[in-house]
Amino acid sequence: MANETSTIKVPQSIIEISAFVPEARNDPHTPLKALRGACPVMRDEMAKTWLLTRYDDVRGLVNDRGHVRLPSKAEEGSLPRRLVDDENDHSRTSILFLDEPDHARIRQPLAKAFYARINRMKPDIEAIIDGTIAAAPDTGSFDLMEAVAVPIPVLVIARILGVDERMLADFRQWSEDVILGLNPVRTEEETARLASGAQALDAYFTELMSARRIQPRDDLISDMVTLQASGEADITDDELILNLQALLVGGNLTTTDLIGNGVWLFLTHPDQLAALKDNPGLGAQAVEEVLRYEAPVSATSRILAEDQSVAGCPMKAHQAVFCSLASANRDEGTFDAADRFDITVKRASHVAFGGGPHICIGAPLARIEARRVYQKLFERYPDMRLVEQEIVWRALPFFRGIEQLDVAV
Ligand code: HEM
């Protein structure tokens, strides 16, 4: 038989592998495999962007400290440039798009305080997860996303930050509005939602920070305003607001999708679910395999600070380079039987959280949440199965998650 990829059309543009195209939304892995084989370093002139799809090239790019992130440094017309419009203050960004030395100045104290909180609050985090799963229906069928995958991450991050839990519905809405900022081709209506969500969050965090300065509580907002006041964290109020919001927004949809994608994978791979049940010690490895196999964030990017060769190709300063994390994680050159979901083998480390200085700050939290959810969910519902349904994948570019997952218990 001819090489499988030789019969598949090789994508010519980033749009062809994005969630905008129904075929790629349903199955991004087939066109990505074709690209990896035929054109692993692709130039998309329409999007004015390079795209890397091989594991080694992606790893090399994200780990290289010489590249930058601030979208305004990218060439005119490129995808990252389209994330910001000219009326925006380009320098007002969270650590996600910030460059050194500001990135490290903010990220270091924030990460230290955040990780200390996660460690201290692990029992609270587990109690939120257990409580949410216990409150899901006892019998019949229900949408796993609505009952479990959506509420858990927002409840957890709200508790860590110290947000009033009566505000959770607003919170979730604002965070969904703000995530539209990562869609480079958003509509005018979506841009308006993005602006109003950001405004509401700014106002709420400003109020919360003032309240905690007067009366600190046992939460991350109090930790950060205290570090700021003592001079240990050299961070302005505006930077604090933006970065606390980044924790809220960055951790919601992504962790929801890690939970949803994982449950879907286990229910469609009963042998793997049986392996997990037989050996709960595989829990951590199972989370890594879900992250590798269906990464909730499918791409990240860097901007070149100078003319240089990347992945063997000459590139120019200010050019944007996207890397497909979804593709790198299925690279047959790195992972044996890369298209097999297998929690029982120890594999090379995936790139689902990116890498280098910008590696996901929330990775330890996402791992704790997903591991506990898989364990408790399959304990509570040993006979859980999928209801007959068409799986609808999210249409948000660069994210991979399921809209609704109906299960019977
Ligand atoms: C499964 C869940 C998650 C996935 C797949 C994910 C994925 C990613 C990826 C790919 C990046 C970019 C890394 C790079 O360019 O090298 C990133 C950055 C980031 N993530 Fe996550 N994330 C997840 C959960 C979280 C959580 C729980 C939080 C916060 C509570 C969070 C907050 C952030 C922030 C603030 C950044 C920017 C870090 C920086 O640029 O220094 N993420 N994440």
Side-chain angles (χ1 to χ4, degrees), residues 72-105:
S72 57
K73 291 181 182 162
E75 77 176 300
E76 201 82 46
S78 63
L79 276 187
R81 259 314 260 278
R82 293 181 212 173
L83 285 174
V84 288
D85 60 58
D86 289 336
E87 283 145 41
N88 280 345
D89 175 2
H90 292 176
S91 60
R92 193 172 187 266
T93 166
S94 76
I95 53 170
L96 179 63
F97 289 126
L98 208 57
D99 295 328
E100 304 307 346
D102 295 325
H103 174 262
R105 172 176 56 80

Side-chain angles (χ1 to χ4, degrees), residues 62-63 69 94-98 103 107 110 114 118 153 157 160 243 246-259 291 295-302 323 325 351-367 369-370:
V62 294
N63 283 350
R69 287 279 279 163
S94 76
I95 53 170
L96 179 63
F97 289 126
L98 208 57
H103 174 262
R107 179 166 167 143
L110 181 66
F114 184 42
I118 295 171
I157 197 68
I160 291 174
N243 286 286
L247 295 185
L248 166 77
V249 177
N252 265 333
L253 191 67
T254 49
T255 314
T256 289
D257 290 341
L258 176 58
I259 296 170
L291 281 161
V297 177
S298 45
T300 188
S301 63
R302 299 290 186 264
C323 43
L325 305 172
V351 284
F353 289 121
H358 286 275
I359 193 166
C360 177
I361 199 173
L365 180 60
R367 287 181 162 122
E369 291 184 45

Side-chain angles (χ1 to χ4, degrees), residues 167-196:
M167 299 289 291
L168 279 179
D170 286 332
F171 232 63
R172 184 150 182 94
Q173 187 56 54
W174 298 334
S175 110
E176 274 177 18
D177 293 345
V178 169
I179 216 159
L180 293 166
L182 296 180
N183 182 351
V185 288
R186 57 182 176 262
T187 61
E188 266 178 38
E189 190 265 334
E190 286 172 332
T191 300
R193 267 176 57 200
L194 161 64
S196 80

Side-chain angles (χ1 to χ4, degrees), residues 265-283:
L265 282 172
F266 281 114
L267 296 180
T268 49
H269 296 78
D271 59 324
Q272 297 301 308
L273 181 54
L276 180 65
K277 286 179 175 171
D278 283 353
N279 182 1
L282 286 174

